[in-house]
Structure formats: C-alpha cells, structure tokens
Amino acid sequence: MKAEEKQVLYSFFKTASDYFSGYKSYEKIPEFTDDTEVISFTEESCQDKNGSGLFSVKPVSEECTANETFLISEELNRIAEAVSLCTGCGLCSFRKNVVPGEGPYNFSNFQNIIDVMVIGEGPGADEDVQGRPFVGKAGQLLDKMLSAIDLFRDRNCFIANIVKCRPPNNRDPLPEESNACRKFLEAQITAIKPKAILAVGRVALQNLLDTKEGITKLHGKFLEYKGIPFMATYHPSALLRDVNLKRPAWEDLKLFRSKLEELIR
Ligand code: SF4
C-alpha cells in the first residue's frame, strides 16, 4: 500500500473514532511510507455499497468536496497539528500540552454543523494537563451556561482560546504572545465560518475587537468581528468569583440565543 492510501485510511478511521467518542482528538498524525510490495488498490474495489467511494485513493481535498464537514474537520486537524509543533512565543516553554480547541464531529449532519465559536483567553492548569479547553471548574460552568442556550461542544459549538498554551500563573497573555498565536485562531474561524462568535471574558473581547473598553461596558452588545455577529459576556471564572454577575451573564446569553435563532432560521 502506498503512503497516500494509508493516509486516507487513517483519516477515515480517525474521523469515525472521533465521531463515536464525541470529541475530536488532536493526536499527531503518523508518517506513512510506501510498502515495498505495492498491492493494487483500485477505486472500484474500494467503493462502499452505495458506491460513494469512501475508500478512494484520491487526495482528501479532492475526494471530499461534497462533504463540507469532513473538510472542516481535516482543516482543524491540520491547524491542531501545527499548534502542537509551535514554538512561536515564550509560552511554549511552560506548556505540558497545547490546547488547540474542541468541537463536535457528527457524520449525520454534514452541513453547517458548528453554529457558534466560543472564544476564551487561554488554557488554565486543568486544560494544560488535559490538552482540552475549559475543563476545570470554570469550564464546567461554561458548559452549563452554553447548554442553557442549547449549545454543546460535542454538537454545535467549537471552543477555542486566544492563546493555545497556558500562560504561567494564569496571567493575561502578553500582546506578543496573543499576536504570535492569532494565526491559529484566525485559521480556525476561517475553517469553521461560525454564524456567531461568543467571547467570554475581557481578554478575549479586547483581543478580538482590538479595544481597551472593558467587559462591563461591552458585554451583551451585538458587535461584529470581520463581518461575523459577535457578543461578549463574562468569563465563567468571574461568575465563580462574583455570583452577582450571573444575572447579567444570563441576560447576555438569552440575547445571544435569540440572535442566533434569527441567524439560523
Ligand atoms: Fe505557539 Fe500559540 Fe503556543 Fe505561543 S501560545 S507557542 S504562538 S501555540
């Protein structure tokens, strides 16, 4: 078997595995080499029973033009792979794991599966250990906030951060760190094309909108990020510190939901 064929098979089975587990894993893609004795692998013999040719040896980008979600997933994998190798700023020397982001994979709904990107500031200690965004206490609260407006990371939203490596002691990312990492977030936004962006917390708001205005002033307001409807609300860590912020955050989320319903109607 040729290396290219092995790559296609690997991508297919990895995608199936992500689907069944409910989460995307961003493990490093193995390097494949050609077998010494090349076995014939014709397109005809590799077609599934509906003739859709899932096992075709064509390059992924050519093969899957009708399968938008598959291509998004492949692109997100490529971005995650690049993040895992990145030494673009000083944060690489502190990380245990990179945290590229996390979203759904669902074979049953190919088109426009990710409605929303939720963007926070950067990984904390739990996220650094697990290589997944928003998995600590604040992350559990974020999941509850999102589920209250029918958003789920394993179904219809993608969660990412401004920086993909943990800033030491959970400090704010420095401008040079945010700038160095921005290309990955931009690539994710371009691949996903979300219908709306929800920024959580001051750092995400200020970085994305390039503003010095605080979250107190701008939360709950519909703005735009490069033509994409955008709203910021409080970071779940802030809600854990100050319960009085729960009510305004809830009002923000209700507004966000009703806007999203307009957008996906
Ligand atoms: Fe690279 Fe971003 Fe990590 Fe810096 S924070 S090392 S730019 S992935």
Side-chain angles (χ1 to χ4, degrees), residues 147-165:
S147 69
I149 55 166
D150 221 12
L151 293 175
F152 304 89
R153 67 172 86 193
D154 61 352
R155 214 186 295 169
N156 55 4
C157 71
F158 187 91
I159 300 180
N161 280 307
I162 296 290
V163 288
K164 313 297 191 189
C165 303

Side-chain angles (χ1 to χ4, degrees), residues 2 22 45 57 62 80 85 95-96 137 153 196 199 212 231 254 260 262:
K2 290 190 171 175
S45 67
V57 294
E62 191 186 329
L85 302 172
R95 72 187 177 211
K96 291 189 175 72
K137 244 182 165 183
R153 67 172 86 193
K212 296 228 178 312
M231 180 194 269
K254 282 197 295 183
L260 188 60
E262 275 173 36

